[in-house]
Amino acid sequence: MPAFEEIVQRESGLKQQLSAGQMTMIAIGGAVGTGLFLGSGFAIGFAGPSVLISYAVGALISLLLMGCLAEMTVAHPTSGSFGAYAEHYIAPVAGFLVRYAYWAAVVLAVGTEVTAIGLYMGYWFPEVPRWTWVVLFSALLIGVNMMSVKAFGAVEYSFSLVKIIAIVAFILIGAWVVFGTRPAGVGFANYVNNGGFFPNGPWGTWVGVIIAIFSYLSIEMIAVAAGEARDPQRAITSAFRSTMVRLVVFYLATIALMLAIVPWATAGKQGSPFVKVMEIIGIPGAASVINFVVLVAALSAMNSQLYITTRMMFSLSRAGHAPAVLGRVNARGVPLPALLLSCLGIAVATLFNIVNPEQSFMLMMAVSMFGAMFTWFMIFVTHLFFRTRRARQGAAPLTFRMWGFPWLTLLGAALMLAALVSTLFTDVFRLTLLTGVPFLLLLAAAYALWYRKPAAATPAAASAKA
C-alpha cells in the first residue's frame, strides 16, 4: 500500500489556482441546483409538508459527512480525495470502487442537470424539442471546462452568486408575503391542509429524505477541489464551514416559505415549485426571472459536476485504474481526455430526452443516485479507518477534528445505509439498487481481472502532458 505522499505526487500536474471563495461557490454550485429548484417539488409530492423534516434529516447527514470529510481533507488535500483516502486507509480495491462509482454517479448527474435545463427552457419555448437545449448548453459548458481551472472557478463563482442573490431575494419576498401582506390562501395553515402535516405517513417523509440526500449531493466537491486550491488547509476549513451554514439556511428557509405560499399538492407537481410561487404572488415578470435563476442553477451544477468527474477520472488514471491517456493534462493544467470521457452523461440524457422526455428527469435521478450514495456511505467508513490507524500509529494531532467520534460517524453511516436500502422499496427509485449493485459487482470483477499496480503506472502518468 503506497504512502499517502506517493498518491499526492502521482496526482501532480494540476494548477493550484482556486481561492477559498471560489471553493465555497463550487460546493454551493453543485449542491444548490436542480436538487433544490426542481427536486424539492418531487420531495414535496412524496412527503407533503413533512418534507421539512426530510430536508432537516438530509442536512444532518450532510453535516456529519462534511465533518468527516473536512478532517481527512485538511490532513491530505488532493484531487483524488475520498477515493484516495479509501485506497490508503482501507484497501486499494476500496479506492477503485469509490472512485468509479462516484465518477459514474456524477457523470449521470450531469445528465439530470442538463435534462432539467431542457425543462426550464420549455417554459419559454415549449415548441422546441428538449434535446436541442441539451446539446446547446452542453457545448457551452464543455468549452468553459476546456479553458482552465481559473476560468472554471470564475464562471462558477458568477453562477453561484446569481443563485445566492436570487435565493436571498426569494426568502425576503416570501417572508414579506407570508408575514406581511398575507393574501387569501397563503399562510402556515397550508402545512396541515390537504391531509395534514404527514399526508403520506412516515414512509412518505423517509422517501423525502432520499430526495433530500440527492439534493445535497455535490457538497463533497470541495474535497476534490482541494487539490487545486492555492492555500488548501485554510481554504478547505473556511469553505466547509460556510457552505454548510448557507446550505441549511437556503434549503430549509426556502422550502418552509414555499409550503406556506403554495399548497403542497400543487408544489409537488411537474415543474419548479419556485416558479409556481412567483406565479401565485403575481409580481409582473417574476416567474420568468425565477425560471432564469433555476436555469442558471442547473448550468452551475452541471458546470461543477463536469469539473469534478474530470478530476476523478484523472485520479483513476494516475492510480493505474484507467488508460494512461486520461491522466494527461494540457499546458493549462486541464485533463482534457478525462473531460471528454466524462461527457457520457450528456449523451445518455440526450437519448432519454429523445425517447421519453416526460420521464427523463426521474430516470436520470434514479440511475445516478447509487454511486453518490455509496460514496457517502464509504466516506463515513473511511473516516473510521482513518481515525483508527492514526490512533494506532500515534500520528500528530489533527488541526481540524470531527466532533463526537466515533458515534456520529457511525450514525452517519447507518443513516446512509438505511437510505440506500430504502430505494429498493420505492417504485420511482427501484432502479437505483437494481442498476447500482450489478455495476458495483462488475467493477469488483474488473478490478480482480485487470488491476495494475499503482507503482507501475505512476512514473509514466506523473510526467504525462498533452
Side-chain angles (χ1 to χ4, degrees):
M1 185 178 294
F4 203 89
E5 290 71 20
E6 294 177 34
I7 296 177
V8 174
Q9 180 59 35
R10 79 184 184 211
E11 294 185 356
S12 62
L14 301 173
K15 304 292 186 182
Q16 292 183 307
Q17 297 178 325
L18 295 175
S19 67
Q22 286 175 327
M23 286 184 63
T24 299
M25 290 300 196
I26 288 169
I28 292 174
V32 180
T34 302
L36 174 61
F37 290 110
L38 186 60
S40 59
F42 291 104
I44 291 167
F46 283 107
S50 68
V51 74
L52 288 169
I53 296 176
S54 304
Y55 273 86
V57 173
L60 172 63
I61 297 171
S62 302
L63 181 64
L64 297 178
L65 179 104
M66 292 288 269
C68 295
L69 198 49
E71 183 179 298
M72 294 188 290
T73 306
V74 168
H76 302 302
T78 183
S79 288
S81 186
F82 36 81
Y85 309 150
E87 172 189 344
H88 183 69
Y89 286 102
I90 301 178
V93 65
F96 178 87
L97 293 176
V98 167
R99 285 188 184 99
Y100 263 112
Y102 185 73
W103 176 82
V106 183
V107 161
L108 292 171
V110 170
T112 68
E113 301 297 343
V114 80
T115 297
I117 288 168
L119 286 171
Y120 300 147
M121 292 303 294
Y123 181 81
W124 293 307
F125 307 102
E127 71 284 354
V128 178
R130 290 179 188 171
W131 64 265
T132 305
W133 305 116
V134 170
V135 173
L136 178 64
F137 284 105
S138 296
L140 175 67
L141 293 185
I142 291 168
V144 169
N145 277 267
M146 289 174 68
M147 294 172 66
S148 69
V149 69
K150 188 174 182 179
F152 159 78
V155 170
E156 191 54 44
Y157 190 95
S158 300
F159 276 164
S160 295
L161 191 59
V162 170
K163 289 189 291 187
I164 290 172
I165 292 171
I167 291 173
V168 171
F170 179 90
I171 291 172
L172 293 175
I173 293 171
W176 173 67
V177 171
V178 173
F179 298 105
T181 61
R182 291 183 289 184
V186 170
F188 293 107
N190 283 329
Y191 282 23
V192 293
N193 294 336
N194 301 311
F197 191 72
F198 295 93
N200 296 319
W203 178 249
T205 306
W206 180 246
V207 174
V209 172
I210 298 172
I211 302 177
I213 291 171
F214 174 81
S215 299
Y216 287 116
L217 290 175
S218 296
I219 57 172
E220 70 286 342
M221 287 182 178
I222 305 176
V224 180
E228 293 173 270
R230 284 199 291 263
D231 183 0
Q233 279 76 16
R234 186 184 67 82
I236 293 160
T237 304
S238 171
F240 271 116
R241 288 172 175 162
S242 60
T243 298
M244 275 313 304
V245 171
R246 292 176 188 178
L247 285 179
V248 170
V249 171
F250 289 167
Y251 272 90
L252 296 183
T254 53
I255 293 174
L257 291 169
M258 180 197 308
L259 289 169
I261 297 170
V262 183
W264 74 265
T266 302
K269 291 182 179 177
Q270 187 176 21
S272 173
F274 286 78
V275 176
K276 291 184 175 69
V277 167
M278 289 305 171
E279 289 173 344
I280 288 175
I281 293 174
I283 299 175
S288 285
V289 171
I290 287 293
N291 197 63
F292 170 75
V293 171
V294 297
L295 173 65
V296 170
L299 288 169
S300 171
M302 180 182 172
N303 191 40
S304 293
Q305 289 161 354
L306 278 174
Y307 166 82
I308 229 71
T309 51
T310 300
R311 271 58 185 179
M312 197 55 63
M313 182 50 66
F314 165 84
S315 177
L316 278 162
S317 175
R318 291 294 179 92
H321 296 156
V325 67
L326 298 173
R328 294 178 181 171
V329 296
N330 61 21
R332 296 185 299 276
V334 177
L336 190 57
L339 170 62
L340 297 177
L341 180 65
S342 297
C343 294
L344 282 174
I346 296 170
V348 174
T350 304
L351 179 63
F352 279 7
N353 275 276
I354 293 172
V355 175
N356 191 353
E358 297 306 316
Q359 297 297 320
S360 56
F361 179 77
M362 290 303 292
L363 286 171
M364 290 299 301
M365 183 192 292
V367 298
S368 69
M369 282 174 61
F370 175 83
M373 294 177 77
F374 170 75
T375 298
W376 275 32
F377 171 71
M378 287 299 296
I379 288 171
F380 287 116
V381 174
T382 303
H383 186 247
L384 292 169
F385 279 81
F386 169 81
R387 274 289 194 93
T388 301
R389 186 191 297 184
R390 287 183 67 90
R392 189 169 62 242
Q393 294 177 342
L398 294 160
T399 57
F400 183 97
R401 290 177 65 86
M402 165 68 176
W403 54 95
F405 181 84
W407 305 112
L408 292 184
T409 303
L410 290 168
L411 174 62
L415 288 171
M416 277 309 304
L417 184 60
L420 192 52
V421 172
S422 297
T423 60
L424 187 61
F425 305 98
T426 308
D427 288 343
V428 71
F429 296 126
R430 190 159 291 139
L431 278 176
T432 300
L433 276 184
L434 292 182
T435 58
V437 171
F439 177 66
L440 201 63
L441 293 174
L442 185 64
L443 286 178
Y447 180 88
L449 290 171
W450 295 301
Y451 171 65
R452 291 178 291 161
K453 298 278 185 189
T458 300
S463 61
K465 296 280 181 182

